[in-house]
Amino acid sequence: MKKTLLFLFILALLQAPFTCAQNLRDPRFVVRAEAGFDFIFNMDYDKAADVFNALGQDYPTHPAPPLYLASILWMKEMERRQDLSLNRFIAPTYFNDKTTLVMPPQEKAVFFAKLQESETLCRAILQRNRGDKDGRYFMATVYGLRASFAITIDHSLRDAFSYGNKCYSIAKQLTQEDPSYYDAYLTLGVYEYTVGVIPWYMRWMIYVIGGHGSKEAGLAHLALAEKGQYVKDQAELVSMVLNVRENHLPEALRIARNLASRFPRSYLFPINLAQILNLAGRKEEAVPLLLQVEKHAENGDPNFNRIPLAGFRFNAALQFLYMGKLDLARERFTKATQDPQSTPREKTLSHLYLARILDWQWNAAEAIRECQIVLSLPVVEDSHSQAKKLLAKLNGR
């Protein structure tokens, strides 16, 4: 199962709408909050934090500002781990992989303190009126962000589904009471789609915590979410990934182009667009996008300067290699071997891929030299056996 769907469910939850009760529905608050979300989607996290800190000062009883400050800390940690790309989202082993990365303790403490502050403000609203729809929605969102942290940072599937189920239950009740509460359908849709595609051998855990759903119901509810007032951007992001999963590439491309156009300071959206174009067989359109991102990163343009350039070059070289763009791939693998920021794995594999490219380009002498370099380096995956096999072929030519 591609567990990224669970991640997307949680990502959708943390983008709660501002459909608040009268004392929370100040239009001035909504306008400023939407500006904060524009900063988030453009990856301007510090500017977004400034917006929500100011909102917290001006609206001290509103549960949204501390909630979104917590979400910014989570997003920044995800970026630090390089876990925000589409390829990472759809990696089947993502949530099973072990990691030695640890969130800085001070930031982790602030994250949970902000969540607790938001939950306390939600409870204060619900103590005054247990039926308050928007107070309940924000409480659901607190559960959603706790689930998000559990699965992406702690890699705890059990805790993620436990918190996610609490969020789902609240959203389900809200839509049953008010079918026009369209923003809540985003939560329902992604959760139900996720549960609907979980393999049979994991369903016991879902049923134990009360989860239900089907892929069809999930997609239907996502369509309703598109009518929401405040979750359009979030719904588009989720729909893009689900359309990639379902191989509905024309629709995924439409959404990816729209997001890349509307949020030009995010380096993720043009990369996503290039990846989807490649999947759709439109390689010639994908190439300039990747080159453009690389150029922005080399120039140190805002936000693009946060891309780990050595790792990006290596991954771009792989993409170019699979596209058959050998010269572009060769140039970047060469830079990867020379870049002190490249990891030992990237350097070793770059030499191995260079040997293959040089062999295809009938440059046997240089290919042999690259194979010998690979054999002089520590083994990475099966690099030595591949280099020896290629050497035998080259020497027998």
Side-chain angles (χ1 to χ4, degrees):
M1 158 193 167
K2 295 184 178 177
K3 297 189 185 76
T4 181
L5 299 175
L6 173 60
F7 169 75
L8 288 170
F9 155 61
I10 296 159
L11 179 64
L13 299 182
L14 73 87
Q15 311 284 358
F18 293 99
T19 50
C20 308
Q22 287 301 319
N23 61 330
L24 300 180
R25 198 183 292 189
D26 185 340
R28 293 168 296 181
F29 181 95
V30 174
V31 170
R32 292 167 64 185
E34 288 176 342
F37 280 110
D38 279 346
F39 284 132
I40 287 180
F41 270 76
N42 271 305
M43 304 184 76
D44 296 324
Y45 298 130
D46 291 340
K47 293 180 181 178
D50 289 343
V51 170
F52 291 117
N53 274 315
L55 280 172
Q57 293 175 359
D58 294 342
Y59 298 83
T61 62
H62 201 305
L67 176 65
Y68 288 100
L69 287 169
S71 76
I72 291 168
L73 288 171
W74 172 70
M75 294 290 287
K76 291 174 73 172
E77 177 64 13
M78 289 287 290
E79 183 187 30
R80 186 178 75 87
R81 298 177 180 220
Q82 300 180 42
D83 281 354
L84 290 175
S85 72
L86 181 63
N87 279 350
R88 290 289 284 164
F89 286 175
I90 62 175
T93 62
Y94 172 67
F95 294 113
N96 293 330
D97 290 343
K98 299 296 182 182
T99 178
T100 58
L101 293 173
V102 176
M103 186 174 184
Q106 184 174 0
E107 292 183 14
K108 189 172 183 179
V110 174
F111 170 84
F112 282 111
K114 291 297 181 183
L115 274 185
Q116 186 58 53
E117 181 183 350
S118 182
E119 183 172 343
T120 299
L121 292 171
C122 288
R123 293 191 185 283
I125 294 170
L126 296 176
Q127 283 177 355
R128 294 192 296 270
N129 179 5
R130 292 180 59 186
D132 186 282
K133 295 178 184 177
D134 306 300
R136 287 149 61 197
Y137 196 102
F138 277 107
M139 182 65 79
T141 310
V142 171
Y143 289 136
L145 189 47
R146 289 188 184 278
S148 176
F149 190 90
I151 192 63
T152 59
I153 307 303
D154 289 343
H155 285 213
S156 173
L157 186 61
R158 182 182 295 275
D159 286 350
F161 267 115
S162 178
Y163 285 123
N165 186 63
K166 291 178 181 179
C167 180
Y168 170 81
S169 297
I170 295 173
K172 183 70 172 177
Q173 188 175 30
L174 285 171
T175 56
Q176 288 175 339
E177 293 176 11
D178 183 2
S180 65
Y181 202 110
Y182 292 115
D183 293 291
Y185 286 107
L186 179 59
T187 295
L188 299 185
V190 182
Y191 184 93
E192 289 168 346
Y193 184 98
T194 302
V195 173
V197 299
I198 286 177
W200 64 269
Y201 53 82
M202 292 185 63
R203 287 185 182 274
W204 66 270
M205 183 169 63
I206 308 305
Y207 291 131
V208 164
I209 63 175
H212 303 282
S214 70
K215 190 163 84 168
E216 293 73 20
L219 293 173
H221 281 145
L222 281 173
L224 287 173
E226 294 177 6
K227 300 180 180 180
Q229 185 176 4
Y230 297 108
V231 298
K232 183 179 186 299
D233 295 335
Q234 296 83 353
E236 283 190 323
L237 179 59
V238 173
S239 294
M240 180 187 73
V241 179
L242 294 188
N243 275 289
V244 171
R245 177 185 171 86
E246 294 298 308
N247 203 34
H248 299 158
L249 298 181
E251 179 63 10
L253 279 174
R254 182 192 67 78
I255 298 171
R257 289 188 191 280
N258 183 41
L259 291 172
S261 172
R262 290 169 52 211
F263 303 107
R265 294 192 303 280
S266 170
Y267 62 78
L268 291 175
F269 292 130
I271 293 174
N272 290 345
L273 178 55
Q275 292 167 335
I276 298 170
L277 283 166
N278 191 28
L279 289 172
R282 299 166 64 171
K283 300 176 183 179
E284 298 303 323
E285 297 176 64
V287 169
L289 284 169
L290 293 173
L291 294 176
Q292 185 180 52
V293 171
E294 181 184 45
K295 190 66 174 178
H296 282 308
E298 290 174 340
N299 291 341
D301 292 338
N303 297 344
F304 288 82
N305 59 359
R306 303 206 304 265
I307 297 176
L309 188 53
F312 175 81
R313 276 209 191 102
F314 176 78
N315 290 324
L318 287 175
Q319 290 292 317
F320 292 142
L321 179 63
Y322 299 145
M323 292 177 186
K325 304 295 182 181
L326 299 186
D327 289 338
L328 291 175
R330 179 177 173 179
E331 179 183 356
R332 278 144 194 85
F333 283 131
T334 299
K335 288 182 178 179
T337 65
Q338 301 167 349
D339 192 332
Q341 298 301 316
S342 295
T343 65
R345 174 182 177 274
E346 290 167 350
K347 287 188 177 183
T348 298
L349 294 181
S350 291
H351 283 294
L352 183 60
Y353 286 124
L354 280 171
R356 291 177 179 172
I357 292 171
L358 289 163
D359 174 34
W360 295 332
Q361 294 180 334
W362 295 94
N363 191 338
E366 289 298 313
I368 289 173
R369 187 180 70 84
E370 293 294 339
C371 286
Q372 291 170 340
I373 294 175
V374 173
L375 294 175
S376 72
L377 298 171
V379 176
V380 173
E381 298 166 10
D382 61 343
S383 57
H384 279 201
S385 64
Q386 291 189 48
K388 289 176 181 178
K389 184 177 178 179
L390 182 54
L391 266 177
K393 171 190 171 184
L394 291 166
N395 288 325
R397 181 175 288 173

